[in-house]
Amino acid sequence: RGKSDREWLKSSVNRMVACSVEIETEGAVYSGNLIREFFYDKHQECFIFSVNPRLAKLFTDDYTQIPLAVRQQLGSNFLKWLHAYILSHKATVSHPHYIKVENLKNLSGSQRETRKFKADLKQALEEMKKMNILEEYWFTESNVLYFVRKKSVLLDYANLS
């Protein structure tokens, strides 16, 4: 893994820098690079990406920023993925987000059997509660996950930037 993963990522990002995309919203059309540039620090072994600011403006309130400091606190790749998933969905007390466990498993790319995936999921959701990301979550008898995000999460993140 290691080096081959970095090389794959570097190659993929190079293609995103080189290629053009067209994105249309209700009020505008953007045509240009998805990623403006990237930098790889060989000593710290980290990538830094820059999105074209004009592209970012198309999404104003419709994208999720996850601070690097918070992301680095998350242990497993699954926990990082679940964190991003939770933050990218509105999930209020009056409108909790819901998804079948099987669908969530498929979205995450997990190859584990559903019963084991659900056990991992419960553990990760408890971690999200401890980190004050989730207010609550529950499962129905038909294996549907419901969750409510903490109101303060996005406000706390906004203060980090």
Side-chain angles (χ1 to χ4, degrees), residues 53-131:
R54 288 193 176 115
L55 173 64
K57 283 183 183 177
L58 289 179
F59 299 98
T60 56
D61 294 331
D62 294 334
Y63 69 97
T64 304
Q65 290 184 327
I66 302 173
L68 182 59
V70 173
R71 188 139 174 97
Q72 289 173 333
Q73 291 174 10
L74 303 170
S76 70
N77 286 336
F78 177 65
L79 200 55
K80 290 174 183 172
W81 179 86
L82 184 61
H83 180 252
Y85 181 85
I86 289 169
L87 291 184
S88 65
H89 290 80
K90 292 182 179 177
T92 63
V93 172
S94 59
H95 293 95
H97 180 72
Y98 61 92
I99 183 169
K100 288 183 179 179
V101 171
E102 186 69 28
N103 291 350
L104 192 65
K105 181 185 119 172
N106 292 337
L107 286 172
S108 75
S110 175
Q111 299 298 311
R112 293 174 64 80
E113 63 180 76
T114 303
R115 182 177 52 80
K116 290 182 179 176
F117 174 81
K118 187 175 178 181
D120 293 343
L121 177 59
K122 284 180 183 178
Q123 204 172 24
L125 292 166
E126 282 301 318
E127 187 67 27
M128 293 291 151
K129 279 183 76 172
K130 287 179 191 168
M131 294 177 70

Side-chain angles (χ1 to χ4, degrees), residues 30-42:
Y30 169 84
S31 182
N33 300 48
L34 186 58
I35 295 177
R36 183 171 61 182
E37 62 187 2
F38 81 97
F39 174 78
Y40 177 70
D41 186 322
K42 290 181 180 180

